[in-house]
Amino acid sequence: MAIIGSVLIALAVVVHLVFFAMESMLWSSPNVWRRFGIADQRDADVVRPMAYNQGFYNLFLAAGGAVGLVLYWTTLRHVGFGLIFFTGTCMVLAAMVLLTTGRRYWRAALVQGLPPLVALVVLSLGHAG
């Protein structure tokens, strides 16, 4: 159970790192901002500061998950579990908020929220035993 949950949290970390890269480092590429529903360069330039900021939220979530995994698999298993649980819950809640912005975001919300949700369930079941 711990391995499956850890792999899923690691996947969630990678997903959030990819969003960080797109929003904070690669935003000037039309291929990137079009993925977020931005129609033209002018709108992309207007949204850029918000995307940059949002990217760092994703980076911090990824960092929390990664540090939690390291702690979980080393000497501080309970601390790592707590950090994974908090970070994973934030990822799931952020995905739920994304769903409230419109039906066209359901796929992105699944990509963002399903791996940490399943990981939390699996790790919680394994941690309780």
Side-chain angles (χ1 to χ4, degrees), residues 8 27 56 78 87:
L8 289 168
W27 187 258
F56 276 88
H78 292 295
T87 303

Coordinates of all heavy atoms in Angstrom, one line a residue, residues 8 27 56 78 87:
L8 N 1.8 7.3 -6.5 CA 0.8 8.2 -6.9 C 1.1 9.6 -6.4 O 0.8 10.6 -7.1 CB -0.6 7.7 -6.4 CG -1.1 6.5 -7.1 CD1 -2.3 5.9 -6.3 CD2 -1.5 6.8 -8.5
W27 N 5.3 30.4 -20.1 CA 4.1 31.0 -20.4 C 4.1 31.8 -21.7 O 3.1 31.9 -22.4 CB 3.7 32.0 -19.3 CG 2.3 32.5 -19.5 CD1 2.0 33.8 -19.9 CD2 1.1 31.9 -19.3 NE1 0.7 34.0 -20.0 CE2 0.1 32.8 -19.7 CE3 0.7 30.6 -18.9 CZ2 -1.3 32.5 -19.6 CZ3 -0.6 30.3 -18.9 CH2 -1.6 31.2 -19.2
F56 N 3.9 29.2 -9.0 CA 4.6 29.0 -7.8 C 3.8 28.3 -6.7 O 4.3 27.5 -5.9 CB 5.2 30.3 -7.3 CG 6.5 30.6 -7.9 CD1 6.6 31.3 -9.1 CD2 7.7 30.1 -7.4 CE1 7.8 31.5 -9.8 CE2 8.9 30.4 -8.0 CZ 9.0 31.1 -9.2
H78 N 6.0 9.4 10.4 CA 4.8 10.0 10.8 C 4.8 11.5 10.3 O 3.7 12.0 9.9 CB 4.6 9.9 12.3 CG 4.3 8.6 12.7 ND1 3.1 7.9 12.4 CD2 5.0 7.7 13.5 CE1 3.1 6.7 12.9 NE2 4.3 6.5 13.6
T87 N -0.4 18.1 2.0 CA -0.2 18.6 0.6 C -1.2 17.9 -0.4 O -1.7 18.6 -1.2 CB 1.3 18.2 0.2 OG1 2.2 18.9 1.1 CG2 1.6 18.7 -1.2

